[in-house]
């Protein structure tokens, strides 16, 4: 049986997910901008959006940034179909508070909310706040305790938890989730502890965009791990360049690389501030790309037909949710909805 296939867009929480110097797409992380982007995405038929979480902008603390959770709550109130996923770094919020916030946004949205558990890579954000930056695997050990509490509370259970980091006694949140058992749990990360935690605690494992064979290996590795509940599902981030022909798409990609030259100093600073143990950056160092979180490494670059076929190839190996980036955003989000999504649906029908 064919897997479900859904499309999402990265909300512009960071102002831009590609060049910060594109003449037609200057960074804009204002609420006004993001509200318009997500209302447009919903109207165009996108199924989901992801609000990434940073408190300090990784491209520089002078850059504007939308706060993910208050942004998600506001979007919940003004949308009615699109799924809203907000990222959360466990070190930034106590699990009982976070679970309460998640249940509130779930209620406001009428059952469309998900959290994306991310275990942090940007050191200054936590260090300069005085929170500290535990080493890589220790962050995941903290995240493991944290998500167990959040999961129980979001599911309406009374939670007793005694661990190395948390001591929660007979805690229960009301109201619980009136729409389903609890909000969705996504997890994004590539390292071994990220994979283990995803299999243990997530509903959906979110991957950075990579070539098909690498994603197939990742999916196989994570899917074979024991589960306590339903089978794990898979999502992938990707930057799309789709045009009438492969040649036009390639020319546009080349153009984006030229524009991106001006971002190199910022990018170098960002990498210097990242945890060198973060697997995401080790993978990213393998090749140049446009976009974040794998970006064009997923090869969703080509004619509308090429991109539609590649999406179906990823879907055939298990990827259900495609969380997409574009530049310029508005024009290309629309182009993808008009030209690629209908082709994917048509090809899916033919194959059925
Ligand atoms: C789809 C996706 C979204 C992510 N969003 C965020 C985010 O909002 N904030 C953040 O700090 N890290 C984010 N990450 C990064 C990872 O959560 C993780 O911190 C990073 O990959 C380092 O962990 P690793 O060594 O397990 O890869 C995201 C990763 C993926 C795959």
């Amino acid at each position: 049986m064919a897997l479900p296939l859904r499309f999402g867009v990265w909300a512009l929480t960071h102002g831009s997910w590609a060049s910060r110097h594109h003449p037609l797409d200057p960074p804009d992380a204002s609420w006004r901008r993001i509200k318009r982007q997500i209302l447009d995405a919903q109207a165009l038929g996108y199924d989901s959006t992801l609000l990434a979480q940073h408190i300090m902008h990784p491209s520089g603390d002078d850059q504007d940034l939308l706060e993910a959770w208050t942004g998600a709550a506001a979007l919940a109130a003004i949308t009615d179909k699109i799924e809203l996923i907000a990222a959360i770094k466990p070190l930034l919020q106590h699990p009982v508070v976070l679970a309460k916030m998640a249940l509130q946004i779930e209620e406001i949205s009428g059952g469309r909310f998900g959290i994306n558990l991310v275990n942090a890579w940007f050191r200054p954000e936590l260090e300069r706040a005085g929170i500290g930056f535990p080493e890589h695997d220790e962050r995941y050990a903290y995240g493991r305790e944290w998500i167990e509490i959040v999961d129980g509370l979001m599911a309406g259970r009374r939670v007793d938890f005694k661990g190395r980091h948390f001591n929660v006694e007979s805690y229960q949140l009301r109201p619980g989730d009136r729409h389903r058992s609890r909000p969705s749990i996504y997890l994004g990360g590539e390292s071994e502890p990220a994979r283990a935690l995803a299999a243990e605690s997530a509903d959906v494992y979110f991957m950075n965009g990579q070539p098909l064979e690498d994603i197939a290996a990742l999916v196989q590795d994570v899917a074979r791990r024991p589960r306590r509940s339903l089978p794990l599902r898979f999502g992938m981030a990707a930057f799309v360049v789709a045009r009438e022909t492969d040649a036009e798409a390639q020319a546009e990609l080349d153009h984006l690389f030229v524009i991106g030259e001006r971002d190199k100093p910022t990018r170098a600073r960002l990498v210097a501030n990242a945890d060198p143990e973060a697997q995401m950056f080790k993978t990213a160092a393998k090749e140049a790309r446009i976009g974040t979180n794998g970006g064009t490494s997923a090869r969703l670059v080509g004619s509308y037909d090429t991109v539609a076929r590649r999406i179906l190839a990823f879907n055939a190996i298990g990827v259900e949710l495609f969380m997409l980036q574009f530049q310029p955003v508005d024009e290309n989000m629309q182009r993808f909805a008009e030209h690629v999504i209908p082709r994917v649906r048509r090809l899916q029908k033919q194959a059925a």
Side-chain angles (χ1 to χ4, degrees):
M1 209 182 68
L3 283 174
L5 203 163
R6 298 190 300 138
F7 295 105
V9 290
W10 286 67
L12 288 164
T13 50
H14 289 48
S16 167
W17 292 109
S19 176
R20 307 190 73 75
H21 298 97
H22 195 299
L24 304 176
D25 197 33
D28 185 352
S30 64
W31 163 243
R32 227 174 102 110
R33 168 73 174 120
I34 287 149
K35 174 180 161 184
R36 185 167 60 76
Q37 182 208 4
I38 302 310
L39 286 172
D40 286 351
Q42 178 175 268
L44 287 166
Y46 286 92
D47 306 290
S48 185
T49 183
L50 174 63
L51 291 96
Q53 185 189 43
H54 278 110
I55 304 299
M56 181 191 289
H57 204 302
S59 296
D61 60 8
D62 57 344
Q63 299 294 302
D64 293 351
L65 189 64
L66 185 95
E67 199 287 306
W69 282 71
T70 43
L75 285 172
I78 60 161
T79 54
D80 58 8
K81 284 200 286 291
I82 197 164
E83 178 190 34
L84 305 163
I85 307 169
I88 176 71
K89 279 175 267 223
L91 285 159
L92 288 174
Q93 195 73 265
H94 191 281
V96 305
V97 181
L98 195 283
K100 184 69 184 158
M101 287 163 58
L103 283 171
Q104 190 63 67
I105 304 177
E106 175 79 345
E107 190 204 348
I108 298 169
S109 68
R112 292 180 287 125
F113 187 60
I115 72 170
N116 184 28
L117 172 57
V118 295
N119 274 289
W121 55 267
F122 182 50
R123 293 195 329 259
E125 179 175 61
L126 297 171
E127 284 174 349
R128 282 165 56 185
I131 295 168
F133 196 79
E135 60 90 21
H136 185 272
D137 293 6
E138 190 50 36
R139 293 199 300 284
Y140 277 98
Y142 185 92
R144 171 171 283 108
E145 290 194 5
W146 185 95
I147 193 63
E148 194 175 327
I149 299 165
V150 169
D151 186 346
L153 289 173
M154 290 197 310
R157 291 195 290 273
R158 181 176 294 282
V159 170
D160 274 290
F161 184 94
K162 207 170 176 42
R164 262 202 307 135
H165 303 285
F166 300 103
N167 190 3
V168 175
E169 215 182 291
S170 187
Y171 225 91
Q172 171 178 279
L173 300 177
R174 288 293 179 269
D177 194 330
R178 295 202 179 95
H179 302 278
R180 48 188 172 159
S181 58
R182 58 156 173 71
S184 307
I185 300 177
Y186 291 76
L187 185 144
E190 287 179 24
S191 57
E192 170 55 36
R195 300 176 196 197
L197 190 55
E200 223 174 81
S201 311
D203 304 319
V204 184
Y205 178 47
F206 241 145
M207 299 169 286
N208 293 312
Q210 292 173 57
L212 187 69
E213 321 75 74
D214 297 350
I215 291 291
L218 204 47
V219 168
Q220 271 173 24
D221 174 83
V222 182
R224 71 174 167 72
R225 296 172 191 238
R227 293 272 293 165
R228 275 182 291 196
S229 52
L230 294 172
L232 188 61
R233 291 176 286 131
F234 295 89
M236 184 181 77
F239 187 100
V240 175
V241 184
R243 291 290 184 276
E244 286 288 343
T245 65
D246 286 338
E248 281 173 72
Q250 186 57 48
E252 176 61 14
L253 179 65
D254 296 343
H255 176 58
L256 292 174
F257 271 116
V258 172
I259 293 174
E261 282 296 310
R262 287 185 61 195
D263 298 281
K264 280 193 167 161
T266 311
R267 169 90 196 149
R269 255 202 325 275
L270 180 148
V271 172
N273 278 317
D275 176 8
E277 289 308 312
Q279 183 57 42
M280 178 169 75
F281 285 91
K282 295 181 192 168
T283 311
K286 285 188 200 163
E287 65 176 20
R289 54 172 175 56
I290 300 295
T292 69
N293 296 83
T296 47
S297 294
R299 317 276 191 267
L300 296 190
V301 176
S303 70
Y304 302 137
D305 286 322
T306 300
V307 173
R309 287 208 181 83
R310 291 197 181 141
I311 285 168
L312 284 172
F314 279 110
N315 185 236
I317 58 161
V319 180
E320 292 184 24
L321 175 61
F322 293 81
M323 193 55 71
L324 304 173
Q325 302 176 350
F326 308 93
Q327 187 165 51
V329 175
D330 296 325
E331 163 193 333
N332 287 294
M333 199 168 83
Q334 181 163 356
R335 192 193 300 267
F336 184 88
E338 273 175 20
H339 296 284
V340 181
I341 297 180
R343 279 173 167 83
V344 171
R345 301 297 181 208
R346 215 175 304 134
L347 287 168
Q348 260 184 319
K349 270 205 196 116
Q350 285 167 12

